[in-house]
Amino acid sequence: MPKVTVDGQEIEVPNGATVLQACELAGKEIPRFCYHERLSIAGNCRMCLVEVKPGPPKPQASCALPAAEGQEIRTDSEMVKKAREGVMEFLLINHPLDCPICDQGGECDLQDQAIAYGRGASRYHENKRAVTEKYMGPLIKTIMTRCIHCTRCVRFSEEIAGVDEIGALYRGEHMQITTYLEHAAKHELSANVIDLCPVGALTSRPYAFEARPWELKKTLGIDVSDAMGSNIRIDSRGREVLRVLPRINDDVNEEWISDKARYQVDGLVRQRLDKVFVRKAGKLERASWDEAFGAIARAKAGSSVAAVAGDMLDCETMFAAKKLLGALGSTLVESRQTGMDYPTGNLAAVNFNSTFAGIEEADAILIVGSMVRWEAPLLHVRLRKAVKRGARVFIVGPHWETTFPAEWLGDDVAVLGKLPKNVGEAMGKASKPAVIVGGGGIAAGALEAALGLVGEWNLVRDGWNGFNVLHFSAARMGALMLGFAQKSGIVDLVNAKPKVLLALGADEVDFRRFPDALKVYVGHHGDKGAHAADIILPGAAYTEKAGTYVSTEGRVQFADKAVFAPGDAREDWTILRALADALGVSVGFDSFDELRAAMIAEVPALGVEGLVNFGALPKPGKGAKPKGTIGYPIKDFYLTNPIARASLTMQRCSAELLHGDDSFAEAAE
């Protein structure tokens, strides 16, 4: 490891580190625009200039210069100061003076660095260059006159998202950043370029002119649009969530989030349930809480009660529901609302055991029945990294557009019983082989067959577990840890013919299978569940309550409450607690803290943030012969849950980006 001297301080830096990284290790701040830790080095902006000896007597770009033994680096010399002032002066030559109306105001790298490292005055008196605006889709607003050609957006699209949609046209002063043919950016991570842009050239179209950053209350949350458990920051003003931004967590989402996680939040104020409704003479009518609880109590009278949990539910709500049903003498609880069933005794068999960060190290991967790009876009980014490192990928299922080379083996799970020779050889020789079974694979009966490959390919070895199940519901692993499941799935609930069915944010259930049940919907949107309900009890969305969530890799995480629920809506656990009083039973808790303490006492792992150890994999069942064509559970990436379906932004994305409906398209401004 080379030793270098930074402003008189000698430090040791890792092999391969750049001078910029060496300076940061020494605690020095180096300004930059084009350099980003997760992107390749471009060396475009020249803002990171430092003085290095031995070397030419001129400032050098520290981001592109390797640190070497014996270097003397100066970050604060007069030469460096003057060079940075000159670079900043050139960067501002064509930059418009529109900070007061720029959405990046208060969060702009150019603003901050112009104050810290700029000259304070310009000597340029010519006309400024102007660039026509580009249309990059319904999510990204462009004002390209502000662009300083750092190419962060270009490198993100090519290297992280794997979609060559953004690039540069022309040369010199005429250079412009644009999408090719000015089409919309169509990948699922496109809006991350807004966070990457160091100036106001790319800003958020739905959030335009909504608020300034200092007006917003910032709350730490967990994304529930998929099962990745992405770490997010919820920015709100008053009772309204205005935007969602990613938080850095290298083990989960790095610093990216999907477009759905970022932009579905405008659906939180549309089609909301904020009053109690009871169906009378076939029509839902406004009612009081007491009237609704009374109707439920009369229907219950000595009969069975069942509960189905939705895909975005927190663990506390499911635990409260299970306690309520237990007090009523019922065990009819289920979270797999679309009808999937699989063994839930050993959760290692339905967990993503390699972990998200670990899957990058896999060198041979078999994906069975998962359209990863839609079900978990950020896992798709990790798979790209594995492929870049030399991993081979084989996929069983209908064809979808990957952003990396993959070999397709057909869409029938029967292929697992007679895999091609090259697949067996690649997986057998791999040092870290991995299998990923998705929801489509489980529905087609591939889980047992996939477990049979564990021994054949030695998927579990010292320091490595390559057997993975990829869920697409944020509530799934938490529900399974709480035992919120039946042996044969929702079929057991149907066969029990309950008199009361509690639908806890469950909108994907086929309610026609419960014709004789009083359907009570506890949720936050007027979606499919509310349409089928006999009684509606307005609940809270994920931004309106604190909760515990478990990702598909078995990672326990906690979210805080950002805003209050609208109208008469209440947090779900309080509704269930009040319902217990109306039904004359005790659930053993009167506050959220008591509820969480009772849940942790029953399932201690839910009280510790981080990965849960589910133990060893079970042995596969004998004679597992899967057959059947795989169908992917997600048909429209942008409209997978009631919040997204209520979001105008998500509706626009679905119409324009997936279905080619130009009625939503806006011309370039």
Side-chain angles (χ1 to χ4, degrees), residues 309-328:
D311 291 343
M312 299 190 294
L313 226 52
D314 56 294
C315 291
E316 285 82 359
T317 299
M318 290 184 281
F319 180 78
K322 192 177 179 187
K323 279 293 181 187
L324 173 60
L325 265 66
L328 294 170

Side-chain angles (χ1 to χ4, degrees), residues 319 588-599:
F319 180 78
F589 56 83
D590 295 313
S591 68
F592 183 78
D593 289 339
E594 290 179 8
L595 164 60
R596 180 170 274 178
M599 180 182 75

Side-chain angles (χ1 to χ4, degrees), residues 56-180:
K58 64 176 184 178
Q60 300 188 63
S62 60
C63 68
L65 184 65
E69 181 70 36
Q71 280 178 333
E72 291 183 26
I73 304 165
R74 291 291 304 275
T75 68
D76 56 359
S77 68
E78 190 60 33
M79 178 198 291
V80 171
K81 182 173 181 292
K82 197 169 182 181
R84 289 176 180 171
E85 287 179 353
V87 169
M88 180 59 71
E89 192 174 3
F90 272 113
L91 285 174
L92 294 175
I93 274 176
N94 284 314
H95 199 79
L97 302 175
D98 56 1
C99 295
I101 57 138
C102 177
D103 268 322
Q104 201 82 316
E107 297 174 316
C108 177
D109 292 346
L110 189 65
Q111 265 186 346
D112 297 341
Q113 293 183 36
I115 291 172
Y117 304 101
R119 189 170 169 272
S122 175
R123 293 168 288 180
Y124 187 76
H125 301 296
E126 308 300 320
N127 292 329
K128 289 181 180 284
R129 181 187 77 147
V131 181
T132 56
E133 309 310 347
K134 316 299 179 189
Y135 182 67
M136 291 192 181
L139 303 180
I140 305 169
K141 181 181 178 182
T142 65
I143 302 178
M144 300 312 291
T145 301
R146 300 170 183 164
C147 180
I148 61 170
H149 303 157
C150 70
T151 67
R152 280 186 181 182
C153 54
V154 178
R155 285 174 283 148
F156 174 84
S157 295
E158 292 179 355
E159 298 165 14
I160 306 297
V163 181
D164 297 340
E165 289 188 332
I166 303 177
L169 301 178
Y170 317 124
R171 301 178 66 185
E173 189 185 23
H174 302 291
M175 179 175 167
Q176 299 181 22
I177 302 291
T178 180
T179 51
Y180 297 113

